[in-house]
Amino acid sequence: MTSTNDGSDLSSRIDLLLRQVQDFPEPGVLFRDITPLLADGPAFAETIEAIAATATTPVDLVVGIESRGFLLAAPVATALGVGLALVRKAGKLPGPTVSESYTLEYGTATVEVHPFTVPSGSRVLVVDDVLATGGTAAASVRLLERCGAQIVQLTFLIELLDLHGRAKLPDVPTTALLALA
């Protein structure tokens, strides 16, 4: 399933509520600030409902990717009546953890999860704010699969199309509420 900015009322509202910050966190990067969306109660509630609705098959668990993904995943888990697990940057969770490293443009990064929060065989909806290059999302999928999870859906608030992150996720249904070129 693929969703893009199809001109729907919600996609348009999300787009209008995003704040663009040039050269953050480093020169040349255009940061998409979601805090105005979070501050708009009705738009935030509608966004959570839309993300929850992307789970077209039953899920047992929602997983949020650090850190802004946590802000979306927690209310989605509540809306679906299921638990929440967190994929965090290395060193942020007290052991035991399972970790997965991946390559960045200039170096490597590692994500971790508590394996006891992801039961083997669980059907998982993964939620994050932005799909950019896809490295973190792909590493999170590998990490969760190593725990025995079945990833049924990846859902992002925003997809940055020019960065081609979806290409790193070819075998997982992926949805974005808003796609930006």
Side-chain angles (χ1 to χ4, degrees):
M1 177 179 182
T2 301
S3 294
T4 59
N5 183 3
D6 57 8
S8 74
D9 185 47
L10 179 59
S11 293
S12 296
R13 285 189 9 198
I14 291 170
D15 195 21
L16 289 171
L17 287 168
L18 292 178
R19 186 171 72 103
Q20 296 184 17
V21 182
Q22 287 283 24
D23 299 322
F24 183 82
E26 60 187 55
V29 174
L30 176 61
F31 182 78
R32 312 294 176 147
D33 180 12
I34 67 168
T35 59
L37 171 65
L38 300 174
D40 184 316
F44 183 45
E46 190 176 350
T47 298
I48 296 306
E49 290 172 17
I51 293 171
T54 67
T56 57
T57 60
V59 299
D60 304 308
L61 186 67
V62 174
V63 172
I65 299 175
E66 185 160 332
S67 69
R68 296 184 303 169
F70 300 166
L71 300 171
L72 302 170
V76 168
T78 299
L80 294 174
V82 300
L84 173 71
L86 307 177
V87 170
R88 302 230 39 204
K89 294 175 184 172
K92 300 285 186 176
L93 293 171
T97 62
V98 176
S99 63
E100 181 73 28
S101 294
Y102 59 103
T103 303
L104 299 167
E105 190 172 350
Y106 300 104
T108 61
T110 303
V111 290
E112 297 179 328
V113 69
H114 281 138
F116 54 84
T117 64
V118 184
S120 183
S122 57
R123 296 176 313 261
V124 174
L125 167 64
V126 179
V127 175
D128 202 3
D129 64 322
V130 177
L131 174 58
T133 63
T136 304
S140 297
V141 166
R142 290 190 306 272
L143 176 66
L144 296 165
E145 287 175 340
R146 285 182 40 221
C147 292
Q150 174 191 353
I151 312 304
V152 298
Q153 181 73 37
L154 284 161
T155 300
F156 299 91
L157 178 63
I158 305 160
E159 179 178 2
L160 303 176
L161 297 171
D162 293 344
L163 298 177
H164 309 288
R166 195 179 288 251
K168 291 185 180 170
L169 307 165
D171 300 324
V172 183
T174 302
T175 300
L177 298 186
L178 174 65
L180 300 172

